Amino acid sequence: MALRQEPHVLVVGGSDSSGGGGVARDIETISAVGVRTCLAVTAVTVQTHDAVIAIHHLQPGLVADQMRAALRANKVSAIKIGMLSTGRVIVAVAAVLSEYPWIPAVLDPVLASSSGRPLLEAKAIGAMKRDLMPLCRLVTPNLIELAALVGSELAADEDDALQQGKRLLAAGPQALLLKGGHATGPRSTDILLSSNQEPIRFEAPRVAGSMRGTGCMLASAIAAHLANARSLHDSVVEGKRFVLNRLKENSAG
């Protein structure tokens, strides 16, 4: 019974049979921060580290039922949302979030796998922006996702990314973290945007090599720190520190 009263992050997303991303990476990350997890699976994927072979979508009602059961069973202090796969699932997830407006939600808008296979129906982007983003405390698009969400070409520079971010912010999320991992240069810059403050930049050295699931990891680490009652700014700082340390460990290995 005592475990139920500890802060939990409700993870909403798809499975990854390789373990490199999806809910496996989310749970690993949140547990490493020291927070408990509960789960609502949106889709089951068949994939290796190189390719997504198949995707099996769960029914929207089943996704919503999982969320409500997890929320009843535990003290959920933050929600992390990843792969949603269809517009109907997005609407179902948004309906549950609207019942718990006091719980901060972090949305990693997963649109495609690392290998390039779409993980969200193209026609579902509108539902994500209209129905889901206004309910989220933070949305964490990379530059490719940002361009797709606003219907533009990939940002050419930081100023271009800021303009796209401001357009997306108008869709309703309380804040955006624009991830600079797909940019070039010796340093990677993420930008925190919200309507009531100037952009805040977080710079870090660009680590050589690559690692799957870093987007899942960052959003999950931020959600875990929000669950521990950290401010959004401090949660982003700690989340980025967590990911950078993991990237360094992976590069050294």
Side-chain angles (χ1 to χ4, degrees), residues 100 120 180 191 211 223:
Y100 296 85
L120 179 69
I191 304 174
M211 180 179 179

Short mmCIF file of all heavy atoms in Angstrom, two decimals, residues 100 120 180 191 211 223:
data_model
loop_
_atom_site.label_atom_id
_atom_site.label_comp_id
_atom_site.label_asym_id
_atom_site.label_seq_id
_atom_site.Cartn_x
_atom_site.Cartn_y
_atom_site.Cartn_z
N TYR A 100 -7.65 14.96 -15.71
CA TYR A 100 -6.61 15.14 -14.68
C TYR A 100 -5.74 16.35 -15.05
O TYR A 100 -4.52 16.23 -15.24
CB TYR A 100 -5.74 13.89 -14.58
CG TYR A 100 -6.48 12.66 -14.11
CD1 TYR A 100 -7.18 11.85 -15.00
CD2 TYR A 100 -6.47 12.30 -12.76
CE1 TYR A 100 -7.87 10.72 -14.56
CE2 TYR A 100 -7.14 11.17 -12.32
CZ TYR A 100 -7.85 10.39 -13.23
OH TYR A 100 -8.52 9.27 -12.78
N LEU A 120 3.38 7.61 -36.73
CA LEU A 120 2.12 8.33 -36.53
C LEU A 120 1.50 8.59 -37.89
O LEU A 120 2.19 9.03 -38.82
CB LEU A 120 2.35 9.66 -35.81
CG LEU A 120 1.11 10.52 -35.57
CD1 LEU A 120 0.19 9.87 -34.54
CD2 LEU A 120 1.48 11.93 -35.12
N GLY A 180 18.05 20.41 -30.39
CA GLY A 180 18.98 20.73 -31.46
C GLY A 180 19.87 19.59 -31.89
O GLY A 180 20.88 19.81 -32.57
N ILE A 191 16.27 24.71 -26.94
CA ILE A 191 15.67 26.00 -26.58
C ILE A 191 14.32 25.76 -25.94
O ILE A 191 13.45 25.11 -26.51
CB ILE A 191 15.50 26.89 -27.83
CG1 ILE A 191 16.85 27.08 -28.54
CG2 ILE A 191 14.92 28.25 -27.43
CD1 ILE A 191 16.74 27.83 -29.86
N MET A 211 23.03 7.12 -30.35
CA MET A 211 22.37 6.20 -29.41
C MET A 211 20.88 6.29 -29.64
O MET A 211 20.32 7.38 -29.70
CB MET A 211 22.73 6.62 -27.97
CG MET A 211 22.11 5.76 -26.90
SD MET A 211 22.63 6.31 -25.24
CE MET A 211 21.74 5.13 -24.22
N ALA A 223 10.01 14.27 -17.16
CA ALA A 223 8.78 13.90 -16.46
C ALA A 223 9.07 13.37 -15.07
O ALA A 223 8.35 13.67 -14.11
CB ALA A 223 8.02 12.85 -17.28
#
